[in-house]
Structures are given as structure tokens and as C-alpha cells.
Amino acid sequence: MSADKQTSWSYAEGLPTEDEVLLRARERSFELGVASISPGVAAALTVCAAATKAQTVVEIGSGAGVSGVCLLRGLPDTAVLTTIDSDVDHLRAAREAFHDAGIPGNRTRTISGRAADVLPRLTDNAYDLVFIDADKQSYLNYVEQAVRLLKRGGTLIINDALDQDRVSDPAIRNETTTILRQVGKAVRANKQLVSAMLTTGNGLLVAVKR
Ligand SMILES: C[S@@+](CC[C@H](N)C(=O)[O-])C[C@H]1O[C@@H](n2cnc3c(N)ncnc32)[C@H](O)[C@@H]1O
């Protein structure tokens, strides 16, 4: 990356101003050892949620609620976020963040469990937006499930899709990077999806189901 590009990336990541609610959620993430989305991704999620006017959203990987709050802030007041996490302490922190953000309880459905077990129980073609930010080893499965869950016109967003700039380097072949490379290929090859790779954060792969 040229020095100018690096500077522009840092500049863009530094633009969002986050309020007390998000800063507290980030603090809880840190205490729990959860890697929350970057400020640039946080802002992009709110914009995508607002642009899609999604009513039904699935999040895979609640963490301490940073991404959930950002999604909910962009969604219409009637939208419901279903968020899945296998760690009960993370889910508790996410619920606290939703409460701090003044989100009514009936707008969030928090599900404790492994996403690979939970996702097959969710209804086909019923969701407007799916956000993936959990265990990378399972991303290919999550993408497959997301395509099943999404309505036509629904949006898929995959966080960390460039894996700290490792995906673009073919010499790097560790398991996580290889999986994320395969995820990118699978999304681009899927005729049901149109996609774009955004360089926000660690890469945000955005796709729409035709
Ligand atoms: C990177 S963090 C999510 C951060 C969150 N999206 C945010 O920005 O606030 C990944 C989360 O995925 C959860 N996770 C890991 N493996 C999982 C699995 N198999 N099923 C469901 N959740 C899982 C972890 O407990 C963790 O909370």
C-alpha cells in the first residue's frame, strides 16, 4: 500500500465519532477479549442497515454488542435483530449494550449457541440482512446458510474479509486466510449474489441476493 493509501485508510477509520454507548460496549469487548468491529465498519453497518431498510436481520457473532448497536441504529424502529453467540458472557454484554442504547427488548432476539447448530433452525428466505462476524473456520458454512436465509434483494455482509491484508498475498496460506480467500471466491462465483469487496476495516465483503 502506498503511504497515501495508508493515510487515507487511517483517516477514514478516524472519521466516525462514537458516543458513550459504543465506547462502553468497546470497553466491555476489550475486557472480554472480543475483537469488535472497527469504527469504519461500525459506520458502514449503520449506513447499510439504513439503506436496506431491513426489517429482519441475523447477526452471527454478537460479541459485546458493538456491531448489533450499529445495525440497530440504522434499521427502521420496527426491525428485529436476531443475534447469535456461543459465549453467554458475550451475549450478556451485548444485551447490556442494547439496553444502554435504549433499544426496546422486543427488537432483539439473542440466541445462545453455536451458529452451525442455530442457523439451520431459522426460516428460509425470511431475512433482509445477514452479518457474519464469528469463527472464521465456519464462514463457508455461514455463507451457505446466509444465502438460504436471505430474501431476494437481501444483503449479506462479511467482516474481516481481507484478513489484515493477508488474503491478497497468495504466498500466505494459513488456515484462516485460506478460508477467507475461499469465501471471497465462493461469493463471487455464486450466481445468486452480486458483490463488492470494500477495504473498510479489515475488509467488508458486501453482497446482495438477486
Ligand atoms: C469478533 S467477535 C464479534 C464481535 C461483534 N460482531 C462486534 O463487533 O461487536 C466474534 C464472536 O463470535 C463468537 N463465536 C465464536 N465462535 C462461534 C460459534 N461457533 N457460534 C457462534 N458464535 C461464535 C464469539 O464468542 C465472539 O463473541
Side-chain angles (χ1 to χ4, degrees):
M1 192 192 282
S2 73
D4 284 351
K5 280 241 183 307
Q6 176 66 53
T7 307
S8 292
W9 182 92
S10 302
Y11 172 76
E13 286 290 327
L15 286 176
T17 308
E18 298 197 332
D19 67 358
E20 276 303 308
V21 172
L22 283 183
L23 294 178
R24 262 203 306 277
R26 286 196 185 281
E27 236 171 76
R28 285 190 209 104
S29 305
F30 180 75
E31 284 160 10
L32 290 165
V34 173
S36 51
I37 52 168
S38 76
V41 170
L45 281 189
T46 303
V47 168
C48 287
T52 57
K53 301 186 179 71
Q55 286 292 341
T56 46
V57 179
V58 174
E59 175 182 56
I60 307 168
S62 323
V66 175
S67 49
V69 167
C70 292
L71 285 165
L72 285 157
R73 283 182 167 169
L75 295 171
D77 288 347
T78 45
V80 174
L81 171 74
T82 298
T83 184
I84 305 162
D85 205 292
S86 52
D87 188 308
V88 287
D89 293 329
H90 297 182
L91 271 183
R92 191 176 305 120
R95 281 191 209 101
E96 266 182 70
F98 301 153
H99 178 265
D100 285 358
I103 310 287
N106 62 357
R107 293 200 52 213
T108 59
R109 181 165 65 139
T110 51
I111 303 182
S112 163
R114 291 175 61 246
D117 300 328
V118 175
L119 292 169
R121 304 204 301 260
L122 304 184
T123 311
D124 295 6
N125 303 310
Y127 294 88
D128 300 304
L129 196 157
V130 176
F131 175 57
I132 303 176
D133 188 23
D135 52 321
K136 311 278 187 297
Q137 295 78 1
S138 308
Y139 270 27
L140 279 166
N141 175 33
Y142 296 162
V143 168
E144 200 177 305
Q145 288 291 326
V147 174
R148 178 184 67 76
L149 296 175
L150 284 170
K151 297 177 190 167
R152 285 172 75 170
T155 303
L156 169 62
I157 308 177
I158 302 168
N159 194 37
D160 284 336
L162 291 173
D163 194 24
Q164 319 259 10
D165 301 322
R166 289 188 277 256
V167 164
S168 58
D169 183 348
I172 302 178
R173 293 185 190 160
N174 69 65
E175 191 194 356
T176 303
T177 307
T178 303
I179 288 170
L180 287 168
R181 213 172 272 133
Q182 288 169 349
V183 166
K185 275 190 195 153
V187 167
R188 287 192 293 279
N190 190 325
K191 298 256 186 302
Q192 287 182 278
L193 301 173
V194 281
S195 66
M197 179 70 84
L198 312 184
T199 52
T200 310
N202 285 318
L204 205 55
L205 182 52
V206 180
V208 172
K209 182 172 169 182
R210 296 177 201 263

